[in-house]
Amino acid sequence: MTDQSNSSPKRPLTLRDVSEASGVSEMTVSRVLRNRGDVSAGTRARVLEAAKELGYVPNKIAGALASQRVNLVAVIIPSLSNMVFPEVMTAISEVLDDTPLQPVVGVTNYKPEREEKVLYEMLSWRPSGVIIAGLEHSDAAKAMMASAGIPVVEIMDTDGDPIDSVVGISHRRAGRMMAETIIKAGYRKIGFLGTKMPLDHRARKRFEGFTQALAKAGLEIVDKEFYAGGSALAKGREMTAAMLARNPGLDFLYFSNDMIGAGGLLYCLEKGIDVPGQIGLAGFNNIELLDGLPKRLATMDACRAEIGRKAAGIIADRAAQGDDGGSGGKRIELSPTINPGDTLRLRPSQGAYPED
């Protein structure tokens, strides 16, 4: 005998099901679930309990047809494997937890064509806002965001003109700050190790600021090496070994991020190189995971969590006001701070500080 109960399709639950289970009208159920209208606390609790027991989930698409919006915030980032972005996402989620809004994540892998595709799909759901990493986008992506009629916040970088709002740091300024600190510490023969610049605009801008500050002091990069893909720790070790083999007289290595910097530090410690006496090292991002290394890598705090909080706050505030994106955006530039750690020797007057 066949059990027909498992083979027959189940129909979606409706407001009527919740109405019958809670003993109130469909209109009242709708008001409770949309958190609108004047409903007593007892009735509200009864409706919510009935909906929970039934497993009822409101049809947000139907609601969006009337309001032209769903309570989603599109968050578009280049990578989930890079530890920088999960921290930004955590901060965004913490702020949006106190609102009706929910973040939905899209990953571009640093590819403009993929960013276009992710953005197109996310905007087709009519989200309440967009938070997107970087200021460099294709013309098509810019056009989509400019005409979306919703708040858009570009994050992580302020070196450029935003479509709407922007929250981040100046990466050119960050590069200058690190170069000036290295020069003040007395280092002169400097190598640079980093990601391939066409894929990472922010790393490119830091490199530009770094070399500009060196040039102002009459110095040039002695050697540089770039990589793409693979384990950052292993790449850091490999690139450091190769660079020091080519230029054993280098007295400082500046890495475009902490992970390859940590690989370089481990290589130097393994080879018995005096850090920071014989050679100084610095990275970027202030990754807490690396606090357990034998020496703390000199680095720079890029204000990731604060960027996430500020960006989510802008979206939440404007969504609550019914802002269609046309009221003019905010520009929030945060100040990064250098942490000298144990790999950057400082003169007595120096310490961890923002730009002078």
Side-chain angles (χ1 to χ4, degrees):
M1 182 175 177
T2 304
D3 183 357
Q4 297 294 329
S5 63
N6 291 330
S7 59
S8 59
K10 292 184 177 180
R11 64 173 178 81
L13 293 169
T14 66
L15 286 177
R16 176 173 292 182
D17 296 308
V18 182
S19 170
E20 292 174 353
S22 60
V24 302
S25 70
E26 289 182 44
M27 183 175 293
T28 300
V29 171
S30 177
R31 286 174 179 166
V32 170
L33 296 179
R34 291 185 297 120
N35 198 25
R36 301 286 174 83
D38 186 17
V39 181
S40 71
T43 299
R44 184 179 300 278
R46 192 159 70 249
V47 169
L48 293 176
E49 182 61 27
K52 182 177 180 181
E53 289 182 359
L54 289 171
Y56 175 78
V57 177
N59 185 343
K60 290 296 182 70
I61 294 177
L65 293 175
S67 69
Q68 296 297 305
R69 294 285 178 272
V70 292
N71 285 336
L72 299 177
V73 176
V75 181
I76 302 173
I77 57 177
S79 171
L80 281 174
S81 60
N82 185 333
M83 285 182 288
V84 168
F85 296 103
E87 186 173 342
V88 177
M89 279 301 311
T90 298
I92 290 171
S93 296
E94 287 173 352
V95 172
L96 296 184
D97 275 349
D98 296 327
T99 76
L101 303 173
Q102 291 290 331
V104 179
V105 183
V107 180
T108 69
N109 299 324
Y110 291 96
K111 296 178 180 177
E113 65 276 13
R114 180 167 173 79
E115 181 178 85
E116 275 185 32
K117 182 178 179 181
V118 170
L119 188 60
Y120 179 88
E121 292 298 330
M122 287 191 157
L123 289 177
S124 73
W125 287 95
R126 300 298 186 265
S128 293
V130 173
I131 298 174
I132 187 167
L135 290 164
E136 285 74 24
H137 315 286
S138 69
D139 289 343
K142 288 179 181 179
M144 281 189 281
M145 287 187 281
S147 61
I150 56 175
V152 174
V153 184
E154 290 162 282
I155 60 171
M156 312 304 290
D157 186 9
T158 60
D159 293 318
D161 297 321
I163 292 162
D164 182 6
S165 292
V166 62
V167 181
I169 67 168
S170 165
H171 286 265
R172 290 193 177 94
R173 177 187 175 197
R176 290 196 304 270
M177 287 170 62
M178 185 58 78
E180 289 163 0
T181 301
I182 292 168
I183 293 166
K184 287 179 183 176
Y187 297 103
R188 292 294 180 269
K189 299 177 181 178
I190 301 163
F192 179 86
L193 305 90
T195 55
K196 288 191 175 179
M197 299 307 177
L199 300 177
D200 190 338
H201 297 288
R202 291 173 290 284
R204 170 180 55 79
K205 291 173 184 178
R206 288 197 301 278
F207 181 69
E208 290 170 357
F210 187 78
T211 54
Q212 287 167 2
L214 291 184
K216 189 175 179 180
L219 300 174
E220 292 183 357
I221 293 283
V222 174
D223 196 2
K224 53 184 178 290
E225 185 148 338
F226 303 97
Y227 81 101
S231 166
L233 277 173
K235 289 292 184 182
R237 293 177 70 101
E238 292 169 13
M239 291 194 297
T240 300
M243 185 170 287
L244 292 181
R246 291 194 301 266
N247 298 280
L250 290 175
D251 62 8
F252 202 93
L253 299 180
Y254 178 41
F255 299 84
S256 69
N257 64 65
D258 284 350
M259 293 305 293
I260 56 173
L265 172 59
L266 290 173
Y267 173 82
C268 291
L269 295 177
E270 177 186 313
K271 297 300 180 181
I273 298 172
D274 176 14
V275 178
Q278 181 179 343
I279 191 166
L281 309 172
F284 180 83
N285 273 323
N286 197 31
I287 299 294
E288 292 183 6
L289 177 67
L290 303 180
D291 287 349
L293 290 174
K295 287 179 179 282
R296 291 175 302 139
L297 181 70
T299 185
M300 179 175 280
D301 181 356
C303 311
R304 295 184 302 280
E306 187 65 11
I307 287 171
R309 284 191 290 268
K310 296 286 189 186
I314 290 172
I315 296 290
D317 290 345
R318 290 172 63 174
Q321 296 164 8
D323 191 334
D324 64 358
S327 66
K330 289 186 176 181
R331 185 181 189 92
I332 301 176
E333 181 172 322
L334 303 172
S335 298
T337 303
I338 291 176
N339 178 357
D342 303 315
T343 65
L344 172 60
R345 64 169 184 255
L346 297 180
R347 293 175 178 173
S349 62
Q350 287 181 275
Y353 57 91
E355 188 177 30
D356 294 339

